Amino acid sequence: MQVKEDISLTREEIDQLIKKKLILLNEIDRNQGKGSEYIRILSEIALLKLEIEEFEESENYFKTCLAFFEKQSDNLGKAAVLGLLGALFYKKDQFEESINYYRQGDLLYKELLQFKEQTTCLIGIGSAYLKLNKLDEASDIFFKCSAICADNHDVYGLLECLQNLIFIYEKEEKWDVVFELYKKTLKAFKELKDRQGMIVSYFNLGILKKKKNYEEALIYFKKGTNVAIDSNYSELIVKGLSYIAECLFYTGKIRDATNQLIKSLHLAEEIKAKNAIIQISVLLKSFGLSETDIQESLKKYREDRKITKNK
């Protein structure tokens, strides 16, 4: 069964495509009857109808497909339609109905050992629970899903579950749980060799740590900044240096903090990051530096940098 249509078309183009497929559908019906090919085209039309939010027709078409697969005892086709009906009702904001269809799809995919498709249904269920503000139920589903993803080496699915869990536990202000979830997220990004994801995870770990311990937070900020430097992500380098400076300041290392901010300001000016320039300048002034002090420190940093480069 065709369960996914690559849709990157305008509304008018989708309407035209539907018309063509309906003509084709009628031809197939006349020549071959309502068999597998008919259902394949009908499912494509249902997907297109879902894309343009013509929900009633989309639902009717999907249910016709579902009846066909039930008659054929085709559990894989049936599971696919149930998942799509889950997506349809989610889009209609009918979240209880969405959960009902996703659960049926989940059970079938579990029996069929189709773990990737099963996780899609579970993420749909968890997302619907989030919309209903049933955080405990959503959390249970996302933990279950993350375990399945981990067992089957589905790193992208795992990351999606972890991000949803982080959202839940941040909302509940359970920071110890959030910290452990960010550590798992960091591990997943490392596995994917996603440097930007690694940097953001390190920074998030640092942000959580600085609620209690600036020395420990500094370790994570330095790790994230080093990855940013290695990857040449200028904006993330600026952010990391600012985090490092903040930690140094609150641990009493004012001179080191100032030097980090001057370094960060230099880079921010190089990449023309206006907001960062303003924020860093405000921080430096809060350290007691005047605008003249800042400009003189910048000048000295740049001169020292030139000397170091020329050696």
Side-chain angles (χ1 to χ4, degrees), residues 1-7 17 21 24-25 28 35-50 58 61-66 68-69 74 76-85 109 117:
M1 178 192 172
Q2 180 78 18
V3 297
K4 186 175 181 182
E5 187 91 12
D6 183 16
I7 299 168
L17 187 54
K21 286 182 182 289
L24 178 60
L25 191 72
I28 292 168
S36 297
E37 184 63 10
Y38 178 92
I39 293 299
R40 184 181 72 82
I41 299 299
L42 188 65
S43 72
E44 291 175 2
I45 296 168
L47 278 166
L48 290 166
K49 291 281 187 182
L50 177 57
S58 179
Y61 292 152
F62 279 136
K63 285 183 174 177
T64 300
C65 295
L66 184 61
F68 174 84
F69 289 124
D74 181 345
L76 189 58
K78 184 180 171 183
V81 178
L82 288 166
L84 288 165
L85 283 165
Y109 280 131
E117 290 79 4

Side-chain angles (χ1 to χ4, degrees), residues 4 21 24 72 98 161 175 193 218 223-224 260 281 293 306:
K4 186 175 181 182
K21 286 182 182 289
L24 178 60
Q72 296 290 317
S98 174
C161 292
W175 303 117
K193 296 182 172 59
L218 187 60
K223 285 182 177 180
Q260 289 291 340
S281 297
D293 294 333
K306 280 182 184 177

Side-chain angles (χ1 to χ4, degrees), residues 184-305:
K184 289 182 179 181
T185 302
L186 174 62
K187 185 180 177 183
F189 281 127
K190 282 181 176 178
E191 193 172 330
L192 291 172
K193 296 182 172 59
D194 182 334
R195 287 178 170 268
Q196 194 161 351
M198 288 163 60
I199 296 162
V200 172
S201 295
Y202 276 127
F203 287 171
N204 285 330
L205 286 164
I207 289 165
L208 288 173
K209 272 294 174 187
K210 76 185 176 94
K211 292 174 183 287
K212 295 179 180 178
N213 190 315
Y214 280 102
E215 291 285 359
E216 289 184 21
L218 187 60
I219 294 167
Y220 288 109
F221 288 138
K222 282 183 174 179
K223 285 182 177 180
T225 305
N226 287 337
V227 177
I229 291 167
D230 291 343
S231 309
N232 201 28
Y233 291 143
S234 299
E235 290 186 11
L236 289 172
I237 296 169
V238 170
K239 186 175 282 190
L241 291 172
S242 300
Y243 285 140
I244 290 168
E246 182 187 358
C247 291
L248 290 169
F249 177 82
Y250 284 109
T251 53
K253 298 170 183 174
I254 312 298
R255 181 176 292 179
D256 290 342
T258 304
N259 291 339
Q260 289 291 340
L261 285 176
I262 291 296
K263 184 178 177 182
S264 183
L265 182 58
H266 161 74
L267 183 55
E269 289 189 354
E270 275 201 335
I271 64 172
K272 296 180 174 59
K274 291 181 181 179
N275 288 338
I277 292 166
I278 293 166
Q279 289 166 11
I280 296 164
S281 297
V282 168
L283 272 173
L284 284 165
K285 287 173 183 176
S286 75
F287 287 8
L289 275 71
S290 66
E291 185 61 36
T292 303
D293 294 333
I294 293 169
Q295 293 307 317
E296 285 178 357
S297 297
L298 260 180
K299 184 180 176 183
K300 185 177 184 307
Y301 171 77
R302 286 165 178 160
E303 286 171 354
D304 291 346
R305 210 160 165 267

Side-chain angles (χ1 to χ4, degrees), residues 9 33 85 88 95 97 102 112 155 174 179 185 216 225 244 248 268 281 288 309:
L9 305 171
L85 283 165
L88 184 148
F95 301 115
E97 196 72 8
Y102 273 133
L112 294 163
V155 184
K174 294 181 179 177
F179 186 81
T185 302
E216 289 184 21
T225 305
I244 290 168
L248 290 169
S281 297
K309 276 187 177 180

